[in-house]
Amino acid sequence: MRGCPMRDFTEDVFTPLVQLQRMFASNSKLCCPANLPDNEGFEGCSAPEDPSTSCDSLLYSNAYRVLLIVFASLALGGNMGGFVYRMFINKDEESHSCGVMVTHLCMSDFLMGVYLVVIGVADTRYGSSYFIYSDAWERSAGCKAAGFLSLLSCEASAFFVCLLTIDRMAAFRFPNSRLHFRKGSAQLTCWMIWFAAVFMAAVPLIESHWRFYGETGTCLPLPTNARSFDGRDYSFAVLIMLNFVLFLIIAVGQALIYCSVRARRHKTLGVNSDYMSLERSITKRLIAIALTDFLCWFPVCLVGFMASGGGARMPRHIDTALSVAVLPLNSAINPFIYTLVMIRETRRHGNSRPRDFLESETSFMMT
């Protein structure tokens, strides 16, 4: 079977050949155990190793399926709840720049939940026979749409978190300055981010000679191994370099906010217990934001840099692990950081919250 151009074949294509003793193929899928006869006389099948080809199901194991279900549920339910709360229940939130930004963040993170649902449906549909239909799935419009949504969600979400960090940093460090986002400027900036994110996600579709979104079964080609594909440099530039820069900006911004909060309390508020409680609340949220960004983007960037050096051999399932178990982390947790925690703090403090921090939208990190 060497040199055979066949890419699509039926299940159990060679299992009836009980006299078959040895097979050599160029397509490693033909050597998958499910395709071969199960008899004592069969000595084996030889084919070149292909890191992009697997004889397993789309998600490989039940552990990935459980994580996919959990993250999809949190991303869809949490972000939909946050969006409804801000748009219909607490409409005052939309009068502030942060409320506008968090609403857009909910929308971008919701798209990650949709992406996970599409991947989950594909995994359920093909089951253990995925390796037979993998080429058809990876070339399909459904896979392209899923990859587009994933890249769009990743980039838009990273930009919105970065914008929120810059906005809060300016509010805390320069509370009396007029150079702050207002509702109108926040809306305009958010829509500019959407435009940029849509453009970045659409470039692989515009480049017709790129297979890009069809390079992997999870439809988002991360430059996390040595294989070469059309658009690999683009993937590295956007998913590794750009997000690494955004991660650094967010980390530095959160640190500056923390320093500003402590400096302001020591200079103007003394040891007032109300403000100390508020400072602890803000500090916890800062830590949560920095930690989730670290857990989401640091592994992706680290693996990407290691793979670009060519000296590290990555695990076979690294793309699936990062796409299903790492990248969706922010989208699943953001609703709890930016909406549910704020609701809890508002109910706990009620009207007794320090008025000084309410001025210039600085009472809480993301109110």
Side-chain angles (χ1 to χ4, degrees):
M1 302 299 295
R2 284 177 176 163
C4 178
M6 180 174 64
R7 297 186 63 85
D8 300 315
F9 47 88
T10 59
E11 193 171 3
D12 302 325
V13 61
F14 299 120
T15 52
L17 304 181
V18 295
Q19 301 298 323
L20 185 63
Q21 295 180 335
R22 187 82 179 169
M23 190 170 81
F24 300 87
S26 298
N27 185 350
S28 61
K29 292 181 182 180
L30 295 175
C31 289
C32 288
N35 274 333
L36 302 174
D38 184 17
N39 60 70
E40 296 181 357
F42 183 67
E43 298 177 7
C45 178
S46 300
E49 184 179 357
D50 184 356
S52 64
T53 297
S54 171
C55 296
D56 300 312
S57 58
L58 175 57
L59 293 181
Y60 297 103
S61 72
N62 289 331
Y64 290 134
R65 295 183 181 93
V66 170
L67 288 174
L68 183 142
I69 292 172
V70 171
F71 285 153
S73 300
L74 293 175
L76 292 176
N79 287 293
M80 177 58 71
F83 180 83
V84 171
Y85 173 79
R86 294 177 181 277
M87 294 299 295
F88 301 103
I89 299 177
N90 189 3
K91 297 182 180 180
D92 291 340
E93 288 295 312
E94 285 300 296
S95 63
H96 303 294
S97 62
C98 274
V100 172
M101 296 174 189
V102 173
T103 299
H104 284 270
L105 179 63
C106 289
M107 294 165 58
S108 64
D109 287 337
F110 182 85
L111 296 180
M112 180 59 74
V114 177
Y115 160 76
L116 293 175
V117 169
V118 174
I119 297 300
V121 170
D123 177 65
T124 302
R125 176 184 176 184
Y126 297 118
S128 60
S129 301
Y130 170 71
F131 72 94
I132 297 174
Y133 305 102
S134 60
D135 284 332
W137 161 245
E138 291 165 4
R139 293 195 300 262
S140 70
C143 186
K144 292 180 181 179
F148 176 86
L149 289 176
S150 179
L151 185 55
L152 173 61
S153 175
C154 286
E155 297 312 309
S157 180
F159 274 114
F160 286 134
V161 174
C162 186
L163 183 64
L164 279 161
T165 302
I166 293 173
D167 178 63
R168 290 301 85 196
M169 181 177 63
F172 274 102
R173 293 187 67 84
F174 311 105
N176 299 319
S177 174
R178 294 184 178 181
L179 298 176
H180 293 165
F181 283 102
R182 296 293 183 262
K183 180 180 179 180
S185 58
Q187 284 281 17
L188 177 60
T189 305
C190 288
W191 286 117
M192 290 174 63
I193 288 176
W194 277 115
F195 177 81
V198 168
F199 176 78
M200 285 187 286
V203 166
L205 300 176
I206 297 173
E207 295 288 342
S208 57
H209 66 283
W210 289 4
R211 187 176 174 181
F212 202 78
Y213 291 129
E215 286 293 331
T216 65
T218 51
C219 307
L220 184 63
L222 297 168
T224 51
N225 53 47
R227 80 177 188 277
S228 177
F229 58 88
D230 291 334
R232 191 184 193 282
D233 291 340
Y234 180 79
S235 178
F236 183 83
V238 172
L239 289 167
I240 305 300
M241 295 300 300
L242 176 59
N243 287 299
F244 180 71
V245 172
L246 293 176
F247 167 72
L248 291 179
I249 294 174
I250 292 169
V252 172
Q254 302 298 332
L256 291 176
I257 292 172
Y258 175 75
C259 294
S260 298
V261 172
R262 288 190 61 84
R264 186 174 182 183
R265 177 172 71 84
H266 289 302
K267 288 182 179 180
T268 63
L269 304 176
V271 292
N272 184 288
S273 60
D274 289 334
Y275 290 103
M276 292 181 67
S277 175
L278 182 58
E279 181 189 345
R280 285 194 296 269
S281 174
I282 294 173
T283 301
K284 290 178 181 179
R285 200 175 308 183
L286 289 171
I287 293 173
I289 294 170
L291 182 61
T292 53
D293 279 336
F294 176 83
L295 293 176
C296 178
W297 287 113
F298 182 77
V300 177
C301 294
L302 177 62
V303 173
F305 285 126
M306 292 174 63
S308 66
R313 183 178 178 86
M314 298 301 162
R316 187 180 187 88
H317 303 165
I318 189 67
D319 283 346
T320 301
L322 294 176
S323 298
V324 174
V326 177
L327 284 180
L329 183 63
N330 266 351
S331 298
I333 297 179
N334 279 342
F336 298 92
I337 297 177
Y338 293 100
T339 301
L340 296 184
V341 173
M342 185 272 293
I343 295 174
R344 187 190 67 180
E345 293 292 336
T346 300
R347 289 180 176 177
R348 186 173 69 179
H349 291 281
N351 295 326
S352 64
R353 289 179 298 174
R355 297 298 302 173
D356 185 46
F357 267 81
L358 287 173
E359 295 174 4
S360 302
E361 301 172 347
T362 58
S363 60
F364 291 101
M365 263 294 297
M366 298 303 169
T367 58

